[in-house]
């Protein structure tokens, strides 16, 4: 049974079922699910029971949630401690994408509430953005890539190639991923072949 930090009130079996499913989903996807996804997972045909369970989870101190905005849902503590380090990201060429949690950074809990994840930088293609080989970048999950601002530093997955850290630019149906180092050429790929996983929130340099 998953238990958050502090002393929250006990849950009913239905509330516990939803909470544990949320913990598994957020742990795997690094963002909260939609109400429709919760309905499907709980075998419900109406959003009302899900919303009721969410309200009780919030009142009992297990989650934070802005009603009507499912993506604002955050678990309070307990599922894991710290920001997950999901692997390495290329700041040069492309490297194999991450697929599991290797370790965790023990940073302030306030950062964890944003659903941040961390990547270790491999390479020097972002040195002019003050991101060096060996740095750890904290990334905020990107829910709607279409709303990204031009020039945002992102971690992007190019299927069959890997994940890279670059400046994001959109030219119509083409995504251009630009380095912060003149030694590297831009990477240009069709937009439907790029998965933007996160945008830069902070750089962590261990000295």
């Amino acid at each position: 049974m998953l238990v958050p930090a502090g002393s929250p009130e006990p849950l009913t079996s239905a509330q516990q079922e939803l909470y544990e499913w949320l913990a598994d989903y957020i742990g795997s996807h690094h963002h909260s699910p939609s109400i429709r996804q919760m309905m499907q997972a709980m075998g419900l045909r109406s959003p009302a029971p899900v919303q009721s369970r969410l309200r009780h989870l919030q009142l009992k101190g297990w989650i934070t949630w802005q009603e009507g905005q499912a993506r604002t849902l955050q678990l309070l503590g307990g599922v894991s401690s710290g920001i997950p380090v999901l692997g390495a990201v290329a700041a040069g060429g492309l490297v194999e994408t991450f697929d599991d949690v290797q370790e965790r950074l023990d940073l302030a809990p306030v950062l964890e509430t944003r659903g941040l994840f961390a990547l270790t930088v491999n390479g020097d293609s972002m040195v002019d953005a003050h991101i060096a080989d060996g740095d750890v970048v904290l990334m905020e999950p990107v829910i709607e890539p279409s709303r990204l601002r031009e020039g945002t530093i992102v971690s992007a997955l190019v299927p069959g190639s890997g994940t890279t850290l670059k400046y994001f630019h959109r030219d119509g149906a083409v995504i251009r991923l630009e380095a912060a180092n003149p030694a590297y050429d831009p990477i240009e790929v069709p937009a439907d072949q790029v998965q933007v996983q996160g945008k830069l929130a902070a750089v962590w340099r261990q000295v």
Side-chain angles (χ1 to χ4, degrees), residues 22-146:
L22 288 170
D24 287 341
Y25 184 96
I26 293 172
S28 298
H29 297 82
H30 311 293
H31 62 79
S32 54
S34 67
I35 294 291
R36 181 173 295 277
Q37 288 172 312
M38 294 183 226
M39 288 168 49
Q40 293 172 343
M42 298 297 103
L44 299 169
R45 296 184 178 181
S46 166
V50 169
Q51 292 168 333
S52 176
R53 294 183 200 182
L54 290 175
R55 282 193 291 270
H56 282 94
L57 287 173
Q58 184 167 26
L59 288 171
K60 291 181 177 182
W62 291 72
I63 66 170
T64 62
W65 174 54
Q66 296 179 32
E67 188 164 356
Q69 301 181 47
R71 299 298 187 184
T72 64
L73 187 152
Q74 299 288 343
L75 304 183
L76 293 177
V79 178
S80 58
S81 176
I83 293 172
V85 179
L86 300 180
V89 62
L94 293 168
V95 296
E96 183 178 355
T97 185
F98 48 82
D99 56 14
D100 61 4
V101 174
Q102 298 179 352
E103 58 180 306
R104 289 183 177 272
L105 295 179
D106 186 14
L107 300 180
V110 67
L111 293 178
E112 189 175 5
T113 64
R114 296 173 60 188
L116 302 187
F117 60 93
L119 299 169
T120 302
V121 175
N122 286 340
D124 63 355
S125 74
M126 297 302 290
V127 291
D128 289 350
H130 307 289
I131 302 173
D133 182 53
D135 285 351
V136 174
V137 287
L138 305 184
M139 310 299 295
E140 184 175 354
V142 172
I143 307 303
E144 298 184 52
S146 62

